[in-house]
Every structure is written in C-alpha cells, then in structure tokens.
Amino acid sequence: MTSTETTQSPNGAGDNESRRAVIIRTVALKKEYLIGQVVTYALRGIDVELYRGEFICVMGPSGSGKSTFFNMVGGLDAPTSGRVFIDEVDVAQLSAVELAFLRCRKIGYIFQTYNLVQYMTCLENVTVPMAFAGVSGDRAQQRGMELLELVGLAERWFHKPIEMSGGQQQRTAIARSMANQPSVLLCDEPTGNLDLKTGSEIHDCLMKLNKQRGVTIICATHDHRLINMADRIMWIRDGQIERLADRSEVTVETGTIEGEENA
Amino acid sequence: MQMKVIDVDKQVRLSLTKTLQLVLSGVRFRLFRAAITVVIVALAVAFLMTMLSDSIITRNVAAAIDIETAPRRLLGFWVNQLTSTMTVQKLTEDLTALPPDSNRWKELKGWGQIEDNDAMGRLVDVAQREQMYAAFFDNLKEGDRRALVGRAVGLDIFDVLVDDEAFQTFQKELPSVGQLFPGEGIDAFRDFLTAWASARPAMDAIIAGHSTAAGQARKTLLKGRPADVFFADEADESLPGKLATFGFILPNDDVVVLHRRATLRRDAERIAGTFAAPLLKQSVAKRAGLEKANEATVDTFFKQTSSRRGVKWFLAELDNIRRRFDELPEDADKRQDLTQEQKLILASRDPLTIFAAFEISPERITEVTQERLRDKHLQNVEKRITVTPEGTGLGGFSSRTLALIAVSFLVCIVGIANAMLMSVTERFREIATMKCLGATDGFIMVNFILESCMQGVAGGVIGAIVGMLLGCGRSVVMYGWMAMAQTPFSELAATALISFVLGLFIAAMAAVYPAWVAARLAPMEAMRIE
Ligand SMILES: Nc1ncnc2c1ncn2[C@@H]1O[C@H](COP(=O)(O)OP(=O)(O)OP(=O)(O)O)[C@@H](O)[C@H]1O
Ligand SMILES: [Mg+2]
C-alpha cells in the first residue's frame, strides 16, 4: 500500500507486474444441468480474469451458481460450453491423469465439511496430497509439520479428526490444501459450519497464507466480514456475474451490503 | 494466446508400499465391514476345502482298503476257483476284463484247448460285444423285451436270436420299442450273432474244461477239506505245481499270502468255536456288561480277547470251566436228573475240548483277534465309502457337488460385491476428496481391489484351515484311524493352497465392479453437503 505506482491498479495494492498476471480465466463459461426434461442453467456465461496473488471473495444468494463456478474453475467438472484456463492451460484439453496432476499441484481445495480422512491423524491427512505428488517419508513429515505450524496446530499433529473441533479440522484442511504449494486455493464456504469467532480464525488463517505465501485465494462465502479482507469481490446472481468490484469501491455497512440480499 | 501444456511425466505413481499403507489404515478403521467380507470368503473357501479334503482322504482310504483287503479277496477268489462251477455269464465277464497273456487268459485258453492266440482274441471280442448288447436288453422294460425276444432273458436272448425267424420278429418289433440300439446298426448285431454262435463251442469247451479241472482238483487235492483250510495247510513250494496239473496258474508270491490269510481264518474259526459253549457265552456277556447271555455275539467275544489282559482272562475262564467239567459225575451224559447248571456245563464241554486240541498260544489268540477286529473295521469303513472319487481334487466331484461349489462361489462374489458397493457409497466423500487431492482413477481402483484382496487373503487362510480341519474331522469320524494314517499331507497342503488362491481370486473379482464405480465417482461430490 506504500507504493505510489499502484494508484491506477484496480487492486489498489502490490507489485503491478505480478498482480496483473492472470491465473484463472474463463471464457463464456456455461453450465446446464438436465434433470429429466427440465434444464437448469447454473451458469449462463461467465467471463472473468482472476489475478495471481489476489484474494477474491465470491458472494451471491443460495443457488446462484457459486459452487458450480468453483467446480468449473477447480477442474472438478466439465462445463457445458465455454472454456476455463488455469495458468493458461485449457482445462477441457486435459486427460484424466493430467487433471489429477492439476488438482494435485496447482489447486488446493477447502470444503465446507472439511472432508478430512477420518482414520488418519492430523499430520497424515496433511501428507496425503504429498504422497500423490511423490513426496513421502521424512520430507513429507517435515513439510507437513511446517504447514501445521503455519495454521497453529503443530502440537496436535497426532490427533484424529473426531478428536478436534470444527475450526481445528478446517485449519488442518487448510494445511492439507497447501501441501503441494498450489497457486490457487478454492474455498467453498469454508466457515459455513463454524461459529463467528472460529470463522474469524479461519479468515485470518487464509489471509495469512495470501499475504505470506502469495497464494491466490478464491473464497465463496455469505460472511460479510470477509469482504473487508478481500482484494476484489464478485457477485453472482442467476449464473451471471452481477458485479465485480475492488474493495475500495464497496461500502461496507453492518447488516447489509449493496448488491447482496439477505439470503 | 499461446497454450501451455502440463508435463504429466512428473505425475507420480504411488509405490505399492505406500498404497498398501493407505489401504491398511482404511481397513483397520472399517474392521467390521472388512470382517464381513473375510467371513464370506472364509465360508466359501472352507466349503470347497471341506469337500476337497474329504474327497482326497476318502480316495486314499479307499486305496488303502483295497491294498489291505487284497489277501482276503485273493483267498476268496481261489476258494471260488476250486469249488464253484463256471457259467457263460461268468466266462464272458472274465473274458472282457482280461489283459492278453495274463494268468487267467492262459488258464482259460488251456481249459478250452484253444491253440492260437487269435482264436482267444476273437473270443474276447465276442464277449465284449456281448456285454454291450446284453446291457441294452437288460435295460428294456419287461414288456418290450417280451415283444422282441419272447421269454428269453440274459444270454439266452442271443441263443434265441441266432434263429432266423426269431431275428425277423426282433427286427420287425425293434422300431416300436423306441430305444436307441447300441453299436453300428442292425447288421452289425447280425454279424455279432453269427460270431456269438460260432464262439459258443469254444466257450462251452472252456467251461467244461474248467469244471473237469476243478472237479479233479477237489478230489485229489482237497480230499473233502474246505478250500481255505487246504490253503492253510499246504503252504509249500509244491502248491503251484500241484494246481498247475489241473490248469490253474498260481503265482509263487501268492502262496505265502494265501497261507497267511487262510491260517488266520482257520484259527479265528477255532477260537470263535469256543463261543458255542454256553458257559463261556455267559461269562463273555458278563464281562462285556450285557444283561442277557444271548445278547453277546461273536464280535462281543472278540472284543474281549483283543488285549493281552483279555486273553489272560479268556484262558483263565477256559481253565475255570474245565475244572467244573471235572466235577461232573462220570456218567453225566446218561443221567436224567442233572441240574440246570450241570446241563450247561455238559453242553460247554465239547466246544472247549475241541479248542483245547489245537493248542493255540495266547499270542496267537491276540494276533488273530486283532486281525479279525481290523477286518471288521475295514468292512465297516468300506461300507461307508459311498462314492469312490476317481480323479484328484475337483475332477473327482460329481456334477452336483461341482454345481454346489460354483453356486457357493457365486453367492460369495455377490456378497462381497454388495459389501464393497455399500462401502463405496459410504465413502463417496472420502473417495471424491482423494480425487481432489490428486488421486488418479487407477489409484482408487487399485485401492479398492487391494482392500478386497487383503480381506480375501485373511478369509482364504481362515477358510482353508477351517475347511481342512472340518474335512479331516469328518473323515476321522467316518473312517476312524485309517483316515489319518492315510492322509497325504502334501496333497492336502497343495489343495489348501488352491482353495486359498481361488478365494483370493474371487475376492479380487468381486471388487472389480465396486472399484470401477468408485473410480468413476466425480471429484465434485466432495463439495456436496448433505
Ligand atoms: N448436480 C446438479 N444437478 C442439477 N442441478 C444442479 C446440480 N448442482 C447444482 N445444480 C443447480 O445449479 C444451480 C446452482 O447451484 P450451486 O450449488 O452452484 O449454488 P450455490 O451458489 O453454491 O448455492 P449455495 O450458496 O446454497 O451453496 C442451482 O439451481 C442448483 O439447483
Ligand atoms: Mg454452494
């Protein structure tokens, strides 16, 4: 925030060159679900560029297509039409193994339901993606411990998920998502199952990763407090981008934010 | 814009040890579900293994019995040879079973005074065809047979059909019977009838030759003795020579076997003869704990004398009874005023006196008794061997048993597949998460198949051991000591290995579909919130 050159930057902060590098780009992204004879338009054509290192908050009422957008962008599902480029790689062109490679190293996922493997300890959970990337043994353990330290769970490495609180589980999941140093973290309502205070802990944790490690974070949420932390905010409604704005352009009020209805 | 490509060569395949580690920790977590699969596999494998080990042991017991009872059969054969007459039926049976140049072949050739081997060969050929056609007529319904050949039965049928007129009736009626006629048609049968008619003189000659030979042998060798006693007494090298003069061929090796068996039989009869003494019968019943004397059988008696102590008791009892003879009045046979007890003593005197004349040693009594019990046991076991499997392992089963085994394995596959599918449904979030974290479809697939294989290994080992124990247990109950004495452990071990591998195989097979379902699961399922 100290640099004077950043005044024209829509993000309003950071190194112009690195900030403007596009990490995720979608072109006319559409997704339709066909249930019986009824077609549901989950996404109706989304064109967006997300930059490396930014913290993007995706908001929108329930059923607006946030999760669908995440699935497309994370390479978890194929769009009906349109394209998704991750790091300038066209996801549609990838084979199953290449997709696995992508998910393993480029993207980290954080789920509302944590999705830790129940029979593994905290540390084991964190090292699973490393195993898929070919890192194992002492190196994996060491890296896993470093990540746990980062999320403040180092002394609980031997705990099983059921022995931990929701917040702790989510922090473990965050550590796991960072296992292979991905460029993007996709968080679909990471605090949806948590109380306010614990939610803030998770927000801080994500913020820390964004600032310290420069990882791009795309976070879907209904939590207004997160808007204060984001670089940009994206509103989705009925499968379309309603608004995409820098934080500086958004006025945050307690209770409601413009462009958001109470869901 | 220029497109980048991902260098997939860098994507790592998980090492087997790492995969195994992951699978094992999962199995440990879901022990109960794993136990179900293990039990299913164990059941199927145990079932198969029980059948297999039972059949192997049964076959071995049958083989052992065959060897053990060979002397008995040999003696029976020779007693039969020397005493019974031959019939056309028996002769044709003999001829069909004969290897050329066997002793029996030579004997028959000698009695029929058939000069060349070709003539013998023709006889055998006729006999073989005769068996085939006879089976056809035997299997006909009574009415059908009447229509074809009138009242004739057995071999007489062929004698009847040699007549042209009878044959024409037969040929006319045959289609109405509606049975498939064996061999190569009606002309072949006609040829056979001609051959049969021309072979009859030679057959009759053999039969006549045998009965003369047997008759003369009885007169000069047996001199009225039963044949088995003859073999017990005449155990010298001259025996084959003596029999040869009448056309019988007895190999030298058989003399010893025949002698031993015949002696045993004779001695057993002598010992059992004492049982005719009412007093002895009473004491045997008492020693065996029976309430009434006539409940005691010869077998009860031999059970008492099978041990050394039993023999001592037997001899003492004989002395005891003998002493009581001596106390009888001199003219006891003629007196009318004997008490009940005295009558019993008197009735017991003869059998015991006869026995005393042979001076059989106590050791011999034990030996004979034990051999006899063994014989009895063998006979019992023989009766219990209902099926004699011919081949080894699976090949020896009837199609019904095979079908049962196949069904059990099918049920097993379905059961495992079902358990695995449930497990996939339960773990969909875990699987999808793993895919989000970079697991390939192949890894998920291997993961599930490996899990099933591990359970298959456990189930297979348990099943093979339990099945083997059950099979052996059943055999021991059925065949007694013979089962274990004859068990081919290496064969059993090999069979256990086969059963185990089969169990493992079906466990792997059953997992393929559920593993495929799991591998196809979309990674976005991980996002789902229930
Ligand atoms: N697998 C699916 N099959 C059919 N329709 C679907 C499927 N997934 C989503 N949809 C539909 O697509 C639309 C967008 O759903 P999506 O889950 O993306 O909403 P969302 O913004 O994530 O909502 P929430 O805030 O409640 O999570 C909805 O109308 C939904 O019914
Ligand atoms: Mg959602």
Side-chain angles (χ1 to χ4, degrees):
Chain A
M1 299 268 190
T2 48
S3 171
T4 48
E5 293 151 30
T6 57
T7 41
Q8 313 109 300
S9 162
N11 300 324
D15 180 354
N16 212 5
E17 277 304 300
S18 73
R19 275 295 162 115
R20 295 307 306 240
V22 174
I23 183 123
I24 289 176
R25 191 159 61 89
T26 68
V27 181
L29 189 62
K30 285 188 184 152
K31 180 72 183 178
E32 297 160 12
Y33 290 107
L34 188 69
I35 305 167
Q37 319 241 286
V38 188
V39 182
T40 315
Y41 298 94
L43 293 179
R44 299 165 188 263
I46 291 198
D47 295 85
V48 74
E49 286 188 350
L50 309 177
Y51 307 118
R52 189 179 286 279
E54 73 176 338
F55 192 132
I56 281 227
C57 209
V58 181
M59 308 202 95
S62 183
S64 55
K66 298 186 296 293
S67 295
T68 312
F69 176 69
F70 272 59
N71 289 340
M72 303 298 131
V73 161
L76 303 182
D77 199 4
T80 311
S81 68
R83 292 186 149 189
V84 175
F85 297 90
I86 299 174
D87 226 356
E88 288 313 317
V89 174
D90 186 353
V91 176
Q93 308 289 321
L94 297 181
S95 70
V97 179
E98 287 167 333
L99 269 175
F101 179 93
L102 184 93
R103 290 180 202 130
C104 185
R105 294 159 209 245
K106 293 275 183 209
I107 306 173
Y109 303 86
I110 293 163
F111 312 95
Q112 182 178 340
T113 47
Y114 328 132
N115 290 11
L116 297 178
V117 180
Q118 291 302 312
Y119 49 84
M120 290 182 182
T121 63
C122 190
L123 181 60
E124 278 168 345
N125 264 295
V126 174
T127 54
V128 165
M130 298 183 200
F132 292 131
V135 181
S136 56
D138 289 344
R139 254 184 73 211
Q141 306 266 316
Q142 196 192 330
R143 216 207 275 177
M145 284 311 287
E146 279 168 21
L147 287 168
L148 283 178
E149 213 148 322
L150 197 68
V151 297
L153 281 175
E155 68 284 0
R156 292 192 173 263
W157 63 271
F158 54 89
H159 283 254
K160 293 266 169 80
I162 34 168
E163 300 158 3
M164 295 193 289
S165 73
Q168 287 166 337
Q169 288 190 50
Q170 193 61 299
R171 276 189 278 157
T172 310
I174 292 173
R176 179 178 67 180
S177 70
M178 290 297 295
N180 293 322
Q181 284 125 9
S183 351
V184 184
L185 277 195
L186 285 175
C187 323
D188 195 357
E189 306 189 29
T191 59
N193 282 7
L194 299 170
D195 61 61
L196 284 176
K197 191 178 157 288
T198 324
S200 310
E201 275 172 42
I202 299 300
H203 294 158
D204 293 343
C205 201
L206 290 173
M207 213 50 223
K208 197 165 136 194
L209 288 176
N210 179 245
K211 291 282 167 291
Q212 286 185 2
R213 305 227 162 183
V215 57
T216 314
I217 293 183
I218 308 170
C219 186
T221 186
H222 293 291
D223 194 333
H224 300 162
R225 288 172 299 159
L226 209 53
I227 292 180
N228 276 329
M229 304 177 168
D231 295 323
R232 283 204 289 171
I233 301 114
M234 178 168 133
W235 280 272
I236 295 186
R237 182 186 288 270
D238 291 335
Q240 278 168 320
I241 297 184
E242 189 184 49
R243 189 174 167 207
L244 182 60
D246 284 359
R247 189 190 50 215
S248 49
E249 301 166 20
V250 180
T251 45
V252 182
E253 295 160 20
T254 35
T256 54
I257 308 165
E258 47 177 321
E260 161 103 1
E261 282 168 9
N262 283 317
Chain B
M1 192 172 288
Q2 207 201 332
M3 252 185 251
K4 279 194 199 167
V5 274
I6 287 186
D7 181 12
V8 239
D9 287 348
K10 277 193 282 169
Q11 178 67 345
V12 207
R13 261 158 230 253
L14 278 190
S15 71
L16 192 68
T17 30
K18 185 72 199 171
T19 314
L20 272 175
Q21 261 175 29
L22 286 173
V23 175
L24 248 180
S25 57
V27 170
R28 269 210 307 271
F29 180 68
R30 289 177 294 272
L31 258 187
F32 183 70
R33 173 127 302 149
I36 294 177
T37 308
V38 169
V39 168
I40 295 174
V41 175
L43 279 178
V45 172
F47 178 63
L48 173 68
M49 192 58 206
T50 310
M51 304 298 253
L52 281 175
S53 47
D54 188 48
S55 95
I56 287 175
I57 295 174
T58 302
R59 186 165 38 78
N60 274 273
V61 169
I65 286 181
D66 219 47
I67 294 168
E68 294 236 10
T69 54
R72 187 174 82 200
R73 273 180 287 123
L74 188 68
L75 183 64
F77 172 77
W78 276 101
V79 168
N80 208 7
Q81 275 284 67
L82 293 182
T83 53
S84 69
T85 53
M86 194 183 274
T87 60
V88 186
Q89 179 88 39
K90 236 162 86 183
L91 177 62
T92 47
E93 271 165 27
D94 270 5
L95 282 171
T96 12
L98 272 187
D101 274 332
S102 60
N103 287 339
R104 189 70 179 148
W105 159 287
K106 285 182 199 148
E107 282 178 353
L108 295 178
K109 204 172 136 195
W111 287 323
Q113 287 170 331
I114 296 165
E115 294 297 318
D116 61 321
N117 285 345
D118 288 349
M120 260 316 262
R122 279 197 297 278
L123 270 189
V124 172
D125 181 49
V126 168
Q128 271 160 0
R129 281 191 279 164
E130 181 274 324
Q131 299 266 306
M132 174 178 78
Y133 290 120
F136 168 76
F137 287 107
D138 281 351
N139 290 333
L140 283 184
K141 282 194 223 99
E142 179 85 28
D144 288 344
R145 198 173 59 227
R146 283 267 168 94
L148 290 181
V149 295
R151 296 189 161 273
V153 283
L155 298 179
D156 291 345
I157 291 171
F158 305 121
D159 293 333
V160 166
L161 285 180
V162 168
D163 180 59
D164 266 337
E165 206 173 307
F167 188 80
Q168 259 140 33
T169 328
F170 164 78
Q171 200 168 3
K172 209 174 82 217
E173 293 291 334
L174 188 59
S176 67
V177 170
Q179 293 275 341
L180 194 67
F181 196 67
E184 288 151 19
I186 206 80
D187 291 336
F189 183 51
R190 184 112 222 204
D191 289 347
F192 158 73
L193 286 174
T194 325
W196 168 256
S198 58
R200 280 308 296 270
M203 289 190 180
D204 289 339
I206 294 176
I207 292 166
H210 170 264
S211 54
T212 332
Q216 281 169 354
R218 268 203 298 278
K219 215 184 281 169
T220 44
L221 291 177
L222 303 186
K223 297 182 193 115
R225 284 174 298 177
D228 45 356
V229 174
F230 161 74
F231 286 112
D233 293 344
E234 315 259 332
D236 51 38
E237 277 122 46
S238 65
L239 190 55
K242 282 185 198 162
L243 283 167
T245 53
F246 304 105
F248 293 107
I249 304 175
L250 173 65
N252 277 323
D253 296 346
D254 287 353
V255 177
V256 186
V257 180
L258 278 175
H259 174 65
R260 208 187 107 72
R261 182 70 207 178
T263 323
L264 196 77
R265 196 161 146 175
R266 185 196 58 197
D267 288 355
E269 255 161 38
R270 283 175 183 170
I271 297 167
T274 59
F275 197 63
L279 278 180
L280 190 68
K281 202 167 177 171
Q282 269 183 1
S283 5
V284 167
K286 205 167 130 206
R287 190 167 196 262
L290 298 172
E291 281 187 14
K292 287 191 202 122
N294 27 354
E295 279 173 20
T297 62
V298 184
D299 288 331
T300 330
F301 169 67
F302 276 113
K303 253 177 222 139
Q304 303 306 318
T305 54
S306 60
S307 67
R308 197 166 292 181
R309 256 182 63 201
V311 174
K312 226 180 230 167
W313 165 83
F314 171 61
L315 294 175
E317 199 60 23
L318 289 188
D319 271 347
N320 185 12
I321 298 171
R322 216 171 282 131
R323 215 172 305 121
R324 292 167 72 182
F325 298 155
D326 299 340
E327 288 160 10
L328 280 183
E330 289 275 327
D331 53 349
D333 327 16
K334 285 158 218 148
R335 286 183 39 182
Q336 300 295 313
D337 57 343
L338 290 177
T339 61
Q340 193 63 30
E341 198 189 332
Q342 280 172 325
K343 276 184 194 158
L344 278 182
I345 297 171
L346 196 62
S348 304
R349 190 162 66 184
D350 279 356
L352 299 194
T353 322
I354 292 169
F355 172 73
F358 297 117
E359 289 180 356
I360 297 174
S361 70
E363 289 77 28
R364 181 67 181 157
I365 296 177
T366 324
E367 193 186 336
V368 169
T369 312
Q370 272 166 4
E371 287 275 354
R372 218 198 102 101
L373 289 176
R374 202 179 153 87
D375 269 6
K376 262 257 142 24
H377 180 75
L378 285 180
Q379 275 168 20
N380 280 337
V381 172
E382 221 172 356
K383 261 184 245 152
R384 284 199 206 126
I385 297 180
T386 42
V387 275
T388 325
E390 314 225 311
T392 316
L394 284 170
F397 286 142
S398 68
S399 52
R400 221 177 109 227
T401 317
L402 278 178
L404 259 174
I405 291 170
V407 166
S408 82
F409 272 60
L410 216 76
V411 169
C412 176
I413 287 184
V414 172
I416 296 173
N418 183 43
M420 290 297 273
L421 273 175
M422 279 166 72
S423 161
V424 170
T425 325
E426 264 171 25
R427 293 164 66 187
F428 82 93
R429 188 182 294 278
E430 181 192 324
I431 298 162
T433 308
M434 285 288 195
K435 290 182 95 170
C436 287
L437 299 181
T440 56
D441 292 4
F443 169 79
I444 303 284
M445 188 115 183
V446 166
N447 196 317
F448 272 86
I449 292 180
L450 264 182
E451 181 172 330
S452 188
C453 282
M454 280 180 192
Q455 293 158 1
V457 166
V461 168
I462 295 172
I465 292 172
V466 169
M468 187 147 61
L469 289 179
L470 280 178
C472 292
R474 200 192 97 97
S475 323
V476 169
V477 171
M478 293 287 278
Y479 315 131
W481 52 267
M482 288 200 74
M484 270 8 294
Q486 300 303 328
T487 306
F489 283 102
S490 57
E491 202 180 341
L492 274 184
T495 319
L497 192 72
I498 292 173
S499 311
F500 163 76
V501 169
L502 223 70
L504 182 57
F505 179 73
I506 56 164
M509 283 289 93
V512 168
Y513 177 66
W516 185 70
V517 170
R520 265 189 349 158
L521 214 73
M524 64 172 191
E525 295 289 326
M527 296 278 189
R528 189 185 279 176
I529 305 149
E530 63 263 53

